[in-house]
Amino acid sequence: MNEELKKMLDSIKAKKQEVRDLCKAGKIEDAAKAKDELKDLQAQFDLLYDLEQDKLDDMQQQAAAGTAKKIVDQTKKITGAFVNAIKAAVGKGDLSAEDKEIINSMNEGKDEDGGLTVPKDIRTAVKELRRSEDALENLVNVERVTTLSGSRVIERYADQTPFDNVDEAAEFPEVSTPQFEKIDYKVKKKGGILKVTQELLSDTAENIIGYLKRWIAKKGKATRNFMIIAKVREITKDAEVPVAGLDDLKRIFNILLDPAIALGACVVTNQDGYNWLDTLKDKDGKYIMQPDPTKPMSTLLFGKYPVKKVSNRTMPSIAAEGGYKVPIVCGDLKEAITIFDRETLTIDISSVAGELWKTDQTGIKVRERLDIQSVDEEAIVMAEHFIASDGGAAVASIEPEEKKTYTQAEIEKLSREKIIALGTQLGYTMTATAADEKAAVVADFMQQQAAAQGE
């Protein structure tokens, strides 16, 4: 990094501190202006950094015949060995001595569940695909962990508890309580079964890996979205704030959220909530939500707070007498929630388990481990806006008032489509489809329910 970029980084750090100091001093308007200046500095840095990176392009050509080429070749060998191991597991070929050596080296320090370890470059690609625009994982804090369980110690209200005066050679006094809080985590197994045809396994390595990456990424995103929404509901349970209009929304950001939290706050809502926010107008008839000048495809509430829209299926509205309540989460989710991610990904392959042999399919069981914990429960507020039903019309994706444990007899009374819809609504990673036999769909639901309750 050149000197110009280093100086800009120093300016960005100084401006961040200025925003914090102004906020602590209660100068909220000045802090907001300083934050806008910080955005401009960051944008300038990003542009200059991209130009600096362009200068390195010719170095890649120079390295093509050297280290870079060796890395690419090794990556291809690892991917090839991984695909060959999948094929060999169902009798589609044999592993060479070189493939076996590669697979054995990948499985050193393997996950406690065993199975075939997914190569690192494929895991990285899955992570990039998983963190798409509608992924709530982008809004929370994610911490990589290397153990199945552990804890983190945080100080609550650290910015509001000042240091005391200390005389020379005197003992340091203890800071007044509350001081610290221990956050425990215990990563849990998450997984599902991908059913693929024998024809796919006869395809090229690139097509097999591409299909696998997309499926794992889609399921991983759905799992994390469900976990985050469930944790938000848990944090805000019985503390929902009714909102009827603009003044109620402003009160959340001006009073209910700490000023330091409000500076980094955003809004997360579903399609119902977004539609309501998008139709709000001020006294001059102008819409309150406006495009973000730095991100044309994004919108801002009150010109300050980014709005993230997720589907009604991901974040259902709540059924209520005469209508439904739409959820509008306000605050800083990075301060409120942390995902502890083991970042392991393993698979097992079978073509004879369950109904697979009858349908000439192969099941690829995928496992990963992660946990989610609340860190600062006061960093978010759940606003709810009531919308009356239109003539009793059905509302899409309404969350049931209370989740229950379903018996197999109850599930068998439902159609295949309704079983899959119910499982999806409950956040299960359903792998069965309406094209499968009903017995397979029922078994899939019961398996997913048991896994969810065993967490």
Side-chain angles (χ1 to χ4, degrees):
M1 186 181 296
N2 61 35
E3 290 300 319
E4 182 181 7
L5 288 175
K6 290 180 180 178
K7 289 180 181 178
M8 289 198 70
L9 270 182
D10 292 337
S11 298
I12 289 172
K13 291 178 181 178
K15 185 60 68 175
K16 286 182 178 178
Q17 188 59 48
E18 180 184 347
V19 172
R20 295 189 186 100
D21 293 341
L22 289 169
C23 184
K24 291 177 182 178
K27 300 178 180 179
I28 303 303
E29 292 185 1
D30 292 337
K33 291 179 181 178
K35 184 184 177 184
D36 291 336
E37 295 171 2
L38 174 62
K39 287 182 179 179
D40 292 338
L41 281 172
Q42 187 66 56
Q44 293 176 32
F45 175 84
D46 291 341
L47 289 172
L48 291 174
Y49 183 81
D50 288 342
L51 291 175
E52 183 73 10
Q53 290 298 106
D54 288 342
K55 296 178 183 179
L56 302 177
D57 286 347
D58 62 323
M59 295 178 63
Q60 295 179 351
Q61 297 177 357
Q62 296 174 15
T67 304
K69 187 175 185 301
K70 292 180 181 178
I71 293 174
V72 170
D73 290 344
Q74 183 63 17
T75 299
K76 288 181 178 179
K77 287 182 179 179
I78 292 174
T79 301
F82 179 69
V83 173
N84 290 340
I86 294 176
K87 292 182 176 181
V90 291
K92 286 284 185 177
D94 297 319
L95 278 178
S96 66
E98 183 181 10
D99 286 342
K100 290 179 181 178
E101 184 178 349
I102 292 173
I103 295 300
N104 289 336
S105 66
M106 284 168 47
N107 284 343
E108 290 180 1
K110 64 184 179 181
D111 188 73
E112 44 285 325
D113 290 314
L116 185 63
T117 302
V118 177
K120 183 178 180 180
D121 65 302
I122 297 178
R123 297 201 307 269
T124 301
V126 167
K127 185 188 296 185
E128 292 173 355
L129 289 170
R130 193 180 69 219
R131 292 180 173 177
S132 57
E133 185 62 27
D134 59 341
L136 297 179
E137 179 184 9
N138 301 327
L139 301 180
V140 303
N141 182 47
V142 180
E143 182 175 341
R144 182 180 181 275
V145 296
T146 57
T147 57
L148 291 177
S149 61
S151 62
R152 296 291 183 270
V153 178
I154 64 166
E155 183 179 1
R156 300 294 302 272
Y157 312 114
D159 59 340
Q160 299 177 22
T161 308
F163 284 126
D164 203 350
N165 293 326
V166 181
D167 295 331
E168 292 298 329
E171 292 185 1
F172 278 69
E174 292 188 5
V175 180
S176 59
T177 55
Q179 296 180 49
F180 299 102
E181 181 173 331
K182 188 172 74 168
I183 305 297
D184 295 314
Y185 71 86
K186 184 177 181 180
V187 295
K188 303 173 183 66
K189 187 192 307 181
K190 303 288 183 179
I193 298 176
L194 168 63
K195 297 177 182 177
V196 298
T197 62
Q198 297 292 333
E199 288 78 10
L200 175 65
L201 293 179
S202 300
D203 211 332
T204 63
E206 289 78 9
N207 287 348
I208 293 173
I209 292 300
Y211 189 89
L212 189 61
K213 286 191 297 189
R214 289 191 297 273
W215 186 83
I216 295 175
K218 181 175 71 173
K219 291 298 183 181
K221 178 176 66 177
T223 299
R224 285 160 176 78
N225 280 354
F226 172 76
M227 291 173 64
I228 292 168
I229 294 300
K231 183 58 66 174
V232 167
R233 294 284 193 194
E234 177 187 315
I235 291 173
T236 59
K237 184 175 176 58
D238 299 327
E240 295 84 357
V241 178
V243 293
L246 294 177
D247 290 346
D248 293 332
L249 286 170
K250 286 185 176 181
R251 179 174 175 270
I252 290 174
F253 293 100
N254 293 341
I255 298 177
L256 300 186
L257 289 174
D258 185 276
I261 293 296
L263 279 176
C266 67
V267 176
V268 180
T269 187
N270 63 6
Q271 292 165 277
D272 296 329
Y274 188 90
N275 182 65
W276 177 66
L277 291 173
D278 201 29
T279 57
L280 291 176
K281 299 178 182 179
D282 61 18
K283 60 182 179 180
D284 298 322
K286 296 180 180 178
Y287 288 108
I288 296 299
M289 286 216 302
Q290 294 293 326
D292 185 342
T294 62
K295 299 177 181 178
M297 298 303 293
S298 302
T299 52
L300 298 174
L301 179 63
F302 303 129
K304 301 178 184 178
Y305 310 111
V307 180
K308 170 74 72 174
K309 177 177 66 173
V310 297
S311 71
N312 284 350
R313 184 182 295 276
T314 299
M315 190 178 186
S317 297
I318 303 296
E321 185 177 355
Y324 54 101
K325 298 175 182 177
V326 299
I328 305 170
V329 183
C330 307
D332 190 340
L333 271 76
K334 282 190 180 295
E335 294 291 333
I337 294 171
T338 291
I339 289 178
F340 296 95
D341 195 340
R342 185 79 187 277
E343 290 195 350
T344 59
L345 201 58
T346 60
I347 66 171
D348 281 323
I349 308 101
S350 175
S351 59
V352 296
E355 299 290 319
L356 294 171
W357 184 78
K358 292 181 180 179
T359 57
D360 200 25
Q361 290 181 316
T362 294
I364 300 178
K365 184 187 293 182
V366 181
R367 306 187 196 90
E368 62 175 341
R369 287 183 177 271
L370 62 157
D371 189 22
I372 186 169
Q373 294 294 334
S374 58
V375 177
D376 185 355
E377 297 185 357
E378 295 182 9
I380 56 173
V381 172
M382 172 66 81
E384 286 186 338
H385 176 69
F386 177 79
I387 296 179
S389 295
D390 184 9
V395 181
S397 300
I398 297 298
E399 185 175 82
E401 292 183 3
E402 193 172 320
K403 293 185 176 69
K404 57 172 286 187
T405 299
Y406 294 89
T407 65
Q408 183 161 334
E410 289 175 320
I411 295 302
E412 288 176 344
K413 292 179 181 179
L414 304 177
S415 66
R416 287 178 292 184
E417 292 78 6
K418 287 185 178 180
I419 296 172
I420 294 169
L422 177 61
T424 303
Q425 190 176 42
L426 292 172
Y428 301 158
T429 52
M430 297 289 292
T431 57
T433 68
D436 293 323
E437 293 183 4
K438 185 173 180 179
V441 179
V442 172
D444 187 20
F445 180 93
M446 299 307 296
Q447 179 183 4
Q448 297 294 340
Q449 179 175 254
Q453 294 176 345
E455 294 175 356

